[in-house]
Amino acid sequence: MSLKALCTSIAIVALLPASVRAEQVALDFTATVWLDTAGYAPVGSVISGHYVFDRDPASFTSQPVDPRYLQGESGTDYFYTARTGDTRLQFPSGSPDVSKGFRAIEVIDNTTWTGPTTDSVSFLQMTLGVSYYLDLRGPDTSFSGSALPTNSWLSGGWTQGYFSIQDIFHTSTVLSAQVTSLSVSPVPEPATAALMLVGLAGLAFARRRA
C-alpha cells in the first residue's frame, strides 16, 4: 500500500459520520433444542448464532408496539428497528439465509410474561415470513428505561435465555431452544481497523527495508 493510499483511507475514516463509526457489539450463542416441528434441528442438538448490533441509540428508530404482539406481557416496552447489524445462524440442517429482511431489538423493562417480574432484551430477525428470536431475561433490577443493557449484563447478567423460530403465517413456534452459552465482544471500529492497517503496512515496509 502506498503512503498516499494509506493517508486517503485514514482521512475517509475520520470523515465518516458518528453513526457509522459507533460501537458495534457481537453476540455469539449456543442453544440446546427442546422443541422442533419443522425439521430445523433434532431435539437435543446444539445450534449456534451470531448477532452484531450497534450500541448507539441514534442508530435505532423507536416504534410503538402493537398490543396484539405482546402475547400478554405487561411492562414498559421499547421496540427499535436496527439500521445496521448482522445475523448468522447455524443448524444441523444448514444455515438459513437471514441476510435480508427486518431486524430489530426489543427492550422490556419489568415484564411479567411468565413467573416473576423480569427485565428482557430480544434480538429479532424476520426473513421470508419466518421470525428468529434470541431472548435474554434477568432480574427486574437489571436495567431501567429504554437503553440497551450493558455488555457486562449481556455477558453474564441474564439468568434465562431462549432462542425460538416462529412461522408468522401460522402464528406458531416451530423451534425452541435454551441458551447454554453466550459471549460478547466489541467489533473494531473503522478507525481502529485503519490503525491496524497502518501497523501492518509499517511492518511490511520495515521487512522490505531489512
Side-chain angles (χ1 to χ4, degrees):
M1 176 184 291
S2 69
L3 180 60
K4 181 179 179 181
L6 190 59
C7 291
T8 301
S9 63
I10 294 175
I12 291 174
V13 169
L15 292 173
L16 284 173
S19 59
V20 177
R21 293 184 281 114
E23 178 194 3
Q24 288 193 323
V25 177
L27 245 83
D28 290 276
F29 76 92
T30 59
T32 302
V33 177
W34 58 272
L35 170 70
D36 176 63
T37 61
Y40 282 103
V43 172
S45 64
V46 176
I47 62 177
S48 62
H50 174 81
Y51 286 85
V52 174
F53 66 93
D54 199 331
R55 288 205 62 89
D56 184 0
S59 299
F60 299 90
T61 54
S62 182
Q63 293 185 344
V65 179
D66 189 323
R68 293 175 298 175
Y69 300 114
L70 289 179
Q71 301 178 353
E73 293 199 38
S74 64
T76 306
D77 195 292
Y78 305 90
F79 195 74
Y80 300 96
T81 302
R83 298 177 183 173
T84 61
D86 178 41
T87 303
R88 294 192 298 272
L89 301 169
Q90 183 65 53
F91 307 139
S93 59
S95 178
D97 182 7
V98 290
S99 58
K100 300 178 180 180
F102 175 77
R103 182 182 293 110
I105 298 178
E106 183 180 27
V107 177
I108 307 181
D109 188 12
N110 296 336
T111 176
T112 55
W113 181 39
T114 57
T117 303
T118 63
D119 289 341
S120 170
V121 58
S122 300
F123 300 87
L124 164 66
Q125 176 79 32
M126 186 182 298
T127 305
L128 300 176
V130 179
S131 298
Y132 304 88
Y133 288 92
L134 173 63
D135 186 36
L136 304 174
R137 296 174 179 268
D140 59 359
T141 55
S142 294
F143 45 83
S144 178
S146 61
L148 292 174
T150 62
N151 289 357
S152 59
W153 187 89
L154 291 173
S155 297
W158 54 277
T159 54
Q160 296 174 298
Y162 306 97
F163 177 81
S164 63
I165 301 176
Q166 295 184 5
D167 185 340
I168 63 172
F169 295 122
H170 298 90
T171 63
S172 63
T173 299
V174 296
L175 182 142
S176 292
Q178 185 168 1
V179 176
T180 53
S181 70
L182 188 145
S183 62
V184 179
S185 57
V187 177
E189 297 181 15
T192 303
L195 290 175
M196 292 175 63
L197 286 175
V198 171
L200 291 174
L203 287 174
F205 181 75
R207 181 173 296 179
R208 286 200 301 268
R209 292 288 300 271

